[in-house]
Amino acid sequence: MKKTIARAFGLIVLATMVTTVPATGQVPLTPRALGMGGAFIGVARGQEVIFLNPANLGLPGTPQWSLAFPQLTVKGTLLGPDFGDLPDIQNFDEVSSARTEEILASIPESGTEATYDFRFPAVAWQVGHLALGVSYGSIGQHTVSKDVVELIFEGYEENRTDYSVGNTSGSRVTFWDVAAAYGRRVGPVSLGVTGHYIHGGTILQSRLFDPRIDVAAAEIDVDYMSVFSRGGTGFGLDVGAAYMPFAGLTVSGAISNLYSTMSWNEELMVRELTLTQEDFDSPEPLDILDRYEDSEHAFDAGTASPRAVNTADGLYDDANFPAIARLGAAWQPRRGTQLGVAFNKQLSDGRLSGEWEQKAAIGVQQKIPLVTLRAGYATNLDDSSLLSGGLTLGVLEFGVAKLSAGDLNGASRSGWIASFGVNVETPQTIN
């Protein structure tokens, strides 16, 4: 029974996060970039430059054409428990009580938090000095108080009246990014520009409210609510420059979203759910999820409940793309070996990017017969870091990274990033 209600609540949280933030550590969008820890702006050529620096399209080494379809990057972090605990969390009522207590003890008194960042460059195509790309993004996070975790894992403790939901809440943003990039050499320097059209998907916030407890009847009711909007429109402009002072060395810099605007649909919708004692005693997860989805109705500012107003507060705050400065270099000391360094700095407010306001990275890639290997390291120059690796085998590319996201409320945040893609390009190059 306890596992079933845990899964039911998990479905609601998943629906909030995946159908709706700061979320990413400025997640690299391609397996090659992830494998080098993000130290890729000087290395990137062909379609890889679309979301990094369009000026690289004018550099030697640019293929006559390149095509990637598709590419996928997924990132997730947990506060307190780590990803190795997930199997036991999933089957908590089948593990020992000591193990359950160990997992609960790893959660700070303020509660736990999960974040995710899903990026899907569906197609990226480059011919000569022109490149086009279409990418989907979904960013979300959800916090859960320790009392709520205990309630889900252990059920309602009769006569207890001090359950607190704390800041049990979530957010999610989804969007499509259609980008066109152009770069060409002007004298010794290559210059480039990328234009973005952003189609907003969903922007959402959710909240769990303090339970109503009837001690005499041994009953508990808990309300969960989401307020969201579908649709939005935005535009962005990136500019960049790149220079090769001599063969084997590339210096590359860009400002993403030098100009950026984002407007979301102001017609809000509401979903709400009340979990009752009956749900906790005889839960039906899919029925609970159906009730949540079927509750959808329009948000009317004149008649909306205080809870709905509270949930909607701040929904659109900083829901835009910040300007980010990127600078890096790549050096090829010998054939088949490339070293990269990069530094990123967020220049303006906006939560549709990453929780790292700055990042320094270093990476290496080495071609050997049949395979290209990569490794990298990145840091936010504070308490967060990323250690990565990857490889290319034919047209298949893979990247993986272990993320240490620092401490919060006395507990560590950690996670993983994985990336996969298919990349095809001509060996001929532009000089």
Side-chain angles (χ1 to χ4, degrees), residues 76-151:
T77 68
L78 288 173
L79 173 64
D82 59 39
F83 278 73
D85 294 324
L86 287 180
D88 287 342
I89 293 174
Q90 171 70 12
N91 301 293
F92 64 89
D93 61 351
E94 298 176 4
V95 301
S96 67
S97 57
R99 178 58 177 149
T100 299
E101 290 300 320
E102 180 183 354
I103 293 172
L104 291 174
S106 70
I107 299 174
E109 291 302 316
S110 58
T112 187
E113 176 189 68
T115 74
Y116 82 92
D117 191 334
F118 174 86
R119 301 298 173 108
F120 177 56
V123 62
W125 174 63
Q126 170 261 330
V127 176
H129 299 286
L130 178 67
L132 304 172
V134 179
S135 177
Y136 173 81
S138 181
I139 307 169
Q141 61 87 28
H142 209 290
T143 58
V144 182
S145 78
K146 190 166 187 174
D147 280 356
V148 170
V149 177
E150 292 178 350
L151 180 63

Side-chain angles (χ1 to χ4, degrees), residues 295-362:
S295 71
E296 184 173 321
H297 60 277
F299 178 98
D300 187 331
T303 61
S305 68
R307 288 186 170 188
V309 173
N310 178 270
T311 304
D313 184 45
L315 178 66
Y316 300 115
D317 290 354
D318 291 331
N320 55 269
F321 294 86
I324 298 175
R326 309 178 191 274
L327 180 64
W331 178 45
Q332 185 172 343
R334 64 175 184 233
R335 185 175 180 85
T337 302
Q338 280 189 302
L339 305 175
V341 294
F343 179 77
N344 297 352
K345 178 71 174 180
Q346 186 168 312
L347 304 178
S348 62
D349 294 332
R351 56 187 168 106
L352 303 187
S353 176
E355 63 188 35
W356 289 9
E357 294 186 357
Q358 60 184 9
K359 179 177 74 173
I362 185 171

Side-chain angles (χ1 to χ4, degrees), residues 103-406:
I103 293 172
L104 291 174
S106 70
I107 299 174
E109 291 302 316
S110 58
T112 187
E113 176 189 68
T115 74
Y116 82 92
D117 191 334
F118 174 86
R119 301 298 173 108
F120 177 56
V123 62
W125 174 63
Q126 170 261 330
V127 176
H129 299 286
L130 178 67
L132 304 172
V134 179
S135 177
Y136 173 81
S138 181
I139 307 169
Q141 61 87 28
H142 209 290
T143 58
V144 182
S145 78
K146 190 166 187 174
D147 280 356
V148 170
V149 177
E150 292 178 350
L151 180 63
I152 294 171
F153 276 35
E154 300 177 346
Y156 171 57
E157 182 182 336
E158 292 187 15
N159 300 319
R160 180 178 172 182
T161 62
D162 62 347
Y163 285 105
S164 172
V165 303
N167 185 35
T168 299
S169 60
S171 67
R172 179 176 60 90
V173 180
T174 67
F175 55 88
W176 285 93
D177 184 351
V178 181
Y182 182 81
R184 180 175 288 276
R185 189 181 303 180
V186 179
V189 177
S190 178
L191 303 177
V193 60
T194 300
H196 298 265
Y197 166 73
I198 308 296
H199 175 72
T202 304
I203 181 168
L204 176 149
Q205 289 185 160
S206 63
R207 185 172 297 278
L208 189 72
F209 294 91
D210 280 321
R212 300 180 297 279
I213 300 174
D214 186 333
V215 176
E219 294 182 349
I220 182 171
D221 294 345
V222 182
D223 294 328
Y224 188 82
M225 177 177 290
S226 297
V227 176
F228 59 96
S229 169
R230 295 187 180 97
T233 300
F235 299 92
L237 184 69
D238 308 342
V239 297
Y243 177 54
M244 293 187 70
F246 54 84
L249 178 64
T250 300
V251 179
S252 183
I255 299 180
S256 300
N257 302 304
L258 177 65
Y259 168 80
S260 178
T261 179
M262 188 69 203
S263 299
W264 293 94
N265 183 2
E266 295 186 0
E267 295 182 6
L268 299 180
M269 304 299 293
V270 179
R271 287 181 179 177
E272 51 190 327
L273 173 73
T274 298
L275 292 172
T276 66
Q277 188 68 44
E278 181 179 353
D279 293 319
F280 282 89
D281 291 340
S282 303
E284 295 291 340
L286 294 180
D287 175 65
I288 292 173
L289 182 60
D290 287 342
R291 282 160 44 198
Y292 170 74
E293 293 179 344
D294 292 344
S295 71
E296 184 173 321
H297 60 277
F299 178 98
D300 187 331
T303 61
S305 68
R307 288 186 170 188
V309 173
N310 178 270
T311 304
D313 184 45
L315 178 66
Y316 300 115
D317 290 354
D318 291 331
N320 55 269
F321 294 86
I324 298 175
R326 309 178 191 274
L327 180 64
W331 178 45
Q332 185 172 343
R334 64 175 184 233
R335 185 175 180 85
T337 302
Q338 280 189 302
L339 305 175
V341 294
F343 179 77
N344 297 352
K345 178 71 174 180
Q346 186 168 312
L347 304 178
S348 62
D349 294 332
R351 56 187 168 106
L352 303 187
S353 176
E355 63 188 35
W356 289 9
E357 294 186 357
Q358 60 184 9
K359 179 177 74 173
I362 185 171
V364 59
Q365 71 173 8
Q366 177 65 56
K367 291 183 178 181
I368 59 176
L370 303 179
V371 179
T372 299
L373 302 178
R374 300 179 183 87
Y377 174 81
T379 174
N380 70 342
L381 304 179
D382 190 5
D383 60 354
S384 297
S385 62
L386 176 151
L387 185 64
S388 68
L391 63 87
T392 294
L393 181 62
V395 299
L396 302 180
E397 299 181 336
F398 306 88
V400 65
K402 179 69 171 69
L403 180 65
S404 175

